[in-house]
Amino acid sequence: MAFIDKEIRKGKGRWERKIIEALNSFALSRFKKRSFAVGGERFELDAAAPTSGEIELGVDVKRIEARRDIHKRCDEIVNKAAKLKSAFPMSKFGAVVYYPFLDEHVNIQNRLRSGNIDSVVFASQEDESIENAARMLLSILGGSRK
């Protein structure tokens, strides 16, 4: 069981790195994993730009692989967006979500409808899908090279 769990986590980490690489390929500034503090609590963004100073663009990368996890994972995204906007009011927040049930993407979009979330895009495991999601997210957030 431990081996299987380790391999699953490794796959998730690779997917997250591909998202960050794609963002860096098409963005005006570099993205990297960053943390920030609000009210004595620390939060981590999977990708944030610029790499130092005030965060202007924050991205949460989330894999939701089971229907039963929608509520918990979406609540995590909404909470992180609210905390980022609390710490950096002028920042923009986006989410890249992997959810294999295509016909249910609208459910996630509805759960993530918030004034603190500027964009939600979906990506599969395919490189083309990841690149398209990164381009779309950056276009909406205003961080693309054009």
Side-chain angles (χ1 to χ4, degrees):
M1 284 298 265
F3 174 76
I4 293 170
D5 187 53
K6 182 181 88 169
E7 291 300 308
I8 290 170
R9 289 185 184 281
K10 196 186 312 181
K12 289 179 180 183
R14 275 193 297 268
W15 185 75
E16 183 181 305
R17 278 191 303 280
K18 283 183 174 183
I19 299 286
I20 294 169
E21 288 169 9
L23 288 169
N24 283 326
S25 294
F26 306 115
L28 289 169
S29 60
R30 301 276 308 154
F31 280 83
K32 75 172 192 174
K33 190 174 285 243
R34 287 189 59 190
S35 61
F36 63 96
V38 176
E41 290 183 272
R42 294 213 60 80
F43 297 90
E44 185 174 76
L45 289 167
D46 298 310
T51 58
S52 62
E54 289 205 12
I55 296 173
E56 296 172 14
L57 302 175
V59 179
D60 197 19
V61 178
K62 194 72 73 182
R63 288 180 70 100
I64 307 172
E65 302 197 41
R67 288 181 171 100
R68 69 180 177 272
D69 293 339
I70 286 177
H71 303 293
K72 180 180 179 183
R73 299 293 175 244
C74 288
D75 289 348
E76 290 170 357
I77 295 169
V78 170
N79 182 49
K80 196 173 291 186
K83 298 299 183 180
L84 177 67
K85 297 286 181 134
S86 174
F88 304 100
M90 301 306 291
S91 66
K92 295 201 176 180
F93 181 89
V96 179
V97 178
Y98 170 83
Y99 187 65
F101 310 103
L102 301 178
D103 57 327
E104 297 176 24
H105 280 187
V106 71
N107 295 341
I108 291 176
Q109 288 172 321
N110 288 334
R111 286 203 56 89
L112 295 177
R113 192 163 289 141
S114 162
N116 294 319
I117 298 175
D118 299 292
S119 179
V120 175
V121 296
F122 294 90
S124 70
Q125 298 185 77
E126 304 299 320
D127 290 342
E128 184 177 354
S129 175
I130 290 168
E131 289 177 7
N132 288 337
R135 285 178 192 258
M136 187 181 319
L137 183 69
L138 291 167
S139 174
I140 294 166
L141 297 181
S144 65
R145 288 189 200 143
K146 303 271 187 224

